[in-house]
Amino acid sequence: MDLSVTIASLHLKNPFIAASGCFGYGVEYASAVDLASLGGVAVKGLFLKEREGHPPPRIVETPAGMINAIGLQGIGVHRFVAEKLPELRRLGATVFVNICGSTLDEYCEVARVLSDADGVAAIEVNISCPNIKEGGIQFGCSLDGTYDVVSAIRKVTTLPIIPKLTPNVTDVASFARAAEEAGADAISLVNTFLAMAIDVETRRPKLSNVLGGLSGPAIRPIAVRMVYECHQAVKLPIIGMGGIMTVEDALEFLIAGATAVQVGTANFVDPLIWSKLIAGLEDYLTRHKFARVADLVGRLNIPAGEHEWIAS
Ligand SMILES: Cc1cc2nc3c(=O)[nH]c(=O)nc-3n(C[C@H](O)[C@H](O)[C@H](O)COP(=O)(O)O)c2cc1C
């Protein structure tokens, strides 16, 4: 049985990738999880320089999810290349580096540094973090901004470029198209949904940043819908995510059109989820007589006649 999938020039062992911000720099999990057994590891978002992020409280639990406003705390791209990448290479991880920028120049400089480093499989371009004021989501909420960031990075690297789209827009498919026209190799979606929680006794916001990003099972049906819409709109491979806790959840994304999936919030509940996802996928493929997981991608079964009705 073939669990491997292809995203642009990348051949992944299986479709399961750890989502950025929910798996540190990967190395922290190495004593519990064989990083080489995963499809990939998307590391925490990196700017050019180190960042402290927002002060606590930065995380709130919600029904079926969590809101975070970490504020992209990170060690910066240079320290990542010097301190984390060699270890990730040694562990055999397929490394997706999630990059951030306040300006176009910053995105390009971070991409350049990573292109010169040994062991980066792909660049995931974070234009969708809802928790920072400058750059980032400002690009991702504008079609021109999305196009400009991707095309600027395209000029400075030959590594696969995977813009990560925000769900905080009305028509996500048009953003997928902008990314495709600008030269992206794939897209990933979704990042978190802008959200808020209030302590009614104190009438204070529960997060120091007031607003944060909602993740976890609460967002899954919306994320699946967005993957489906993007799959209709572009030819690019899609990496889908949002609330995956079980193999059935992951299968929904694959059937909606994702070639691979990322798993984020579930790591905080069950860091050993990976072997269960892989075993569950093998079991499903056997039961449904698929020789390759790639054959399942986008195989949504809409009975004839019903699609026109749904789409009209
Ligand atoms: C604590 C936390 C930190 C995150 N940090 C990042 C980040 O640095 N870059 C990024 O692109 N997405 C980040 N995300 C978003 C996740 O990668 C993912 O897109 C989102 O949480 C939806 O997937 P999930 O429901 O499986 O967590 C973060 C999410 C959480 C919960």
Side-chain angles (χ1 to χ4, degrees), residues 133 138 162 223 252:
K133 289 196 174 54
Q138 266 85 39
I162 308 172
E252 275 199 69

Side-chain angles (χ1 to χ4, degrees), residues 73-244:
Q73 178 182 357
I75 60 174
V77 71
H78 293 290
R79 273 188 60 198
F80 171 76
V81 168
E83 296 171 20
K84 309 290 180 190
L85 202 50
E87 182 65 359
L88 287 166
R89 259 196 330 259
R90 194 186 65 73
L91 293 163
T94 300
V95 182
F96 292 66
V97 183
N98 185 272
I99 71 167
C100 313
S102 302
T103 61
L104 277 185
D105 286 345
E106 185 173 14
Y107 276 107
C108 290
E109 188 51 29
V110 176
R112 244 183 245 118
V113 172
L114 293 168
S115 300
D116 291 341
D118 193 8
V120 178
I123 294 177
E124 182 175 61
V125 186
N126 182 357
I127 47 172
S128 44
C129 178
N131 304 322
I132 54 164
K133 289 196 174 54
E134 71 290 356
I137 198 167
Q138 266 85 39
F139 291 109
C141 280
S142 139
L143 290 172
D144 289 343
T146 300
Y147 183 92
D148 290 347
V149 175
V150 176
S151 54
I153 298 172
R154 183 72 292 162
K155 292 193 183 85
V156 301
T157 185
T158 54
L159 285 170
I161 301 176
I162 308 172
K164 181 163 174 182
L165 305 184
T166 176
N168 297 299
V169 292
T170 311
D171 179 20
V172 71
S174 59
F175 289 83
R177 273 189 227 103
E180 185 170 55
E181 282 162 22
D185 296 283
I187 49 172
S188 60
L189 66 145
V190 296
N191 208 317
T192 53
F193 287 72
L194 206 48
M196 181 174 182
I198 298 171
D199 178 332
V200 295
E201 291 305 319
T202 59
R203 298 190 313 281
R204 287 188 178 180
K206 287 190 175 172
L207 294 168
S208 72
N209 189 53
V210 184
L211 304 185
L214 179 65
S215 62
I219 70 172
R220 191 174 58 245
I222 316 177
V224 171
R225 183 264 292 176
M226 290 186 163
V227 165
Y228 173 69
E229 288 177 337
C230 289
H231 183 61
Q232 309 295 307
V234 294
K235 294 204 169 58
L236 296 176
I238 296 171
I239 302 175
M241 76 200 84
I244 294 175

Side-chain angles (χ1 to χ4, degrees), residues 7-88:
I7 306 261
S9 55
L10 292 179
H11 299 289
L12 309 182
K13 209 169 269 178
N14 60 59
F16 301 117
I17 303 166
S20 177
C22 303
F23 206 67
Y25 298 106
V27 293
E28 298 88 336
Y29 284 80
S31 59
V33 180
D34 173 12
L35 301 190
S37 72
L38 306 187
V41 173
V43 300
K44 176 68 189 167
L46 294 166
F47 284 83
L48 199 52
K49 302 218 171 88
E50 292 183 36
R51 269 172 78 98
E52 274 202 0
H54 297 311
R58 321 199 275 188
I59 285 184
V60 180
E61 275 194 49
T62 62
M66 61 188 271
I67 310 177
N68 92 83
I70 305 295
L72 290 173
Q73 178 182 357
I75 60 174
V77 71
H78 293 290
R79 273 188 60 198
F80 171 76
V81 168
E83 296 171 20
K84 309 290 180 190
L85 202 50
E87 182 65 359
L88 287 166

